[in-house]
Amino acid sequence: MRILFIGDLFGSTGRRILAENLEDISKENNIDVCIANGENVAGGRGITRNIVKKLHKYGVQVITGGNHSMYDMEIYNSSPPVKYLLRPLNLHNETKGTGKTIYPLSDGRKIGIISLQGRTFVDENLLCPFKTGMAAVEYIARQTPIIIVDFHAEATSEKICLANYLDGKVSAVLGTHTHVQTADERILPKGTAFISDVGMTGPEKSAIGMKLETILQKYLYQSHIRFEPATEGPMFNAVVLDIDDSSGKANTISRIFKRVTYKT
Ligand SMILES: [Fe+2]
Ligand SMILES: [Fe+2]
């Protein structure tokens, strides 16, 4: 199975990049399934129903979450939950929404996706991502050997440890959250693909998506002016995974870091 996993989609810039480029990138890479992290896709924070529809139309099948997912709770309050929209699995048990799913392809193959959030330097109060993650892996593994974990975390040590903890049990552990793509992609000894951070699909001329000027004011003067999403320097950050259908082990992981120009 060929999987495209897109790093944190940021605001209207991220959506426009997908609208103009995703179809071509998917064709070029022979993609079967596209997953994107959508925690910042609505103006930098959260996600809405309308945006979920747009992302599906652009060619994203499953959307993962992060520490900004619950910024707008509305979409997670619906029952049953919006299909193939995840928030971190290890939020408290009472939190609405879901953190794991199984997506069926039209040819009968299935892919499991788990969204987890780290605790170090993000939120110490979350449930343990290691134990919660392992339980979800064991549940999904009864239905498919192909399992992708989005680990939305700050500390590279936490990401590396989770990937090695799940090595051989999942197809890939892909880091998100920092919005900066790392160059450490590899296949771990038991066949799990790993990268510390996939990066961001959004405006490169920014401080992780927001206008530099507004963030700089905070660092210089401790001011609390409203951060504004940036739009300049559109870039597409993702990884392409090639996974063995029967074993679920990764054959390859390749980074995409592509600067694009607006077409319209
Ligand atoms: Fe993010
Ligand atoms: Fe985040």
Side-chain angles (χ1 to χ4, degrees):
M1 187 181 294
R2 305 266 306 167
I3 299 157
L4 180 69
F5 184 99
I6 302 170
D8 298 38
L9 282 170
F10 199 94
S12 58
T13 302
R15 303 199 300 272
R16 188 169 170 190
I17 294 166
L18 288 202
E20 296 181 356
N21 299 278
L22 184 55
E23 197 177 340
D24 289 347
I25 291 171
S26 292
K27 270 187 198 152
E28 278 163 26
N29 291 283
N30 233 342
I31 296 302
D32 297 304
V33 182
C34 175
I35 307 163
N37 183 291
E39 68 142 4
N40 306 113
V41 72
R45 294 188 178 99
I47 189 161
T48 65
R49 267 165 210 282
N50 199 21
I51 291 175
V52 168
K53 275 187 207 153
K54 282 185 183 167
L55 296 186
H56 288 323
K57 192 177 86 182
Y58 302 151
V60 175
Q61 279 93 26
V62 181
I63 302 163
T64 54
N67 54 310
H68 287 112
S69 289
M70 310 314 281
Y71 197 81
D72 184 350
M73 285 285 292
E74 191 275 329
I75 193 164
Y76 293 100
N77 282 334
S78 68
S79 179
V82 175
K83 268 194 156 184
Y84 311 125
L85 170 68
L86 305 180
R87 46 89 168 154
L89 179 67
N90 54 322
L91 302 186
H92 295 290
N93 292 330
E94 303 79 26
T95 308
K96 296 282 176 63
T98 182
K100 64 179 188 298
T101 193
I102 296 175
Y103 182 84
L105 276 71
S106 54
D107 59 13
R109 290 179 294 173
K110 290 178 186 168
I111 174 174
I113 301 103
I114 301 169
S115 188
L116 290 171
Q117 188 177 316
R119 297 195 285 193
T120 307
F121 307 136
V122 187
D123 188 345
E124 301 284 342
N125 295 313
L126 297 176
L127 303 175
C128 175
F130 291 75
K131 290 169 190 160
T132 311
M134 185 63 90
V137 167
E138 286 167 358
Y139 171 82
I140 291 177
R142 289 183 223 133
Q143 298 185 57
T144 176
I146 303 173
I147 303 173
I148 306 298
V149 176
D150 173 348
F151 192 31
H152 197 84
E154 182 75 33
T156 45
S157 61
E158 195 177 11
K159 293 175 177 183
I160 290 166
C161 284
L162 183 82
N164 280 277
Y165 181 65
L166 296 178
D167 185 20
K169 297 189 184 318
V170 301
S171 308
V173 174
L174 307 172
T176 59
H177 175 66
T178 70
H179 296 197
V180 177
Q181 190 178 82
T182 56
D184 61 339
E185 76 277 16
R186 64 193 116 139
I187 310 284
L188 299 175
K190 295 177 189 163
T192 294
F194 172 66
I195 185 169
S196 288
D197 210 291
V198 180
M200 172 178 71
T201 290
E204 187 176 15
K205 193 182 170 193
S206 71
I208 61 169
M210 295 295 181
K211 280 187 180 169
L212 280 166
E213 313 83 80
T214 56
I215 305 278
L216 190 57
Q217 291 296 309
K218 183 190 161 199
Y219 283 119
L220 287 174
Y221 308 114
Q222 294 79 50
S223 67
H224 289 277
I225 58 171
R226 193 177 168 79
F227 298 156
E228 284 179 46
T231 55
E232 290 182 58
M235 67 171 178
F236 182 89
N237 284 185
V239 290
V240 174
L241 302 163
D242 189 282
I243 307 293
D244 183 87
D245 284 340
S246 54
S247 69
K249 293 190 190 304
N251 296 320
T252 58
I253 173 171
S254 335
R255 280 184 292 123
I256 299 179
F257 186 106
K258 190 172 183 173
R259 294 184 175 95
V260 298
T261 47
Y262 291 130
K263 292 177 183 167
T264 51

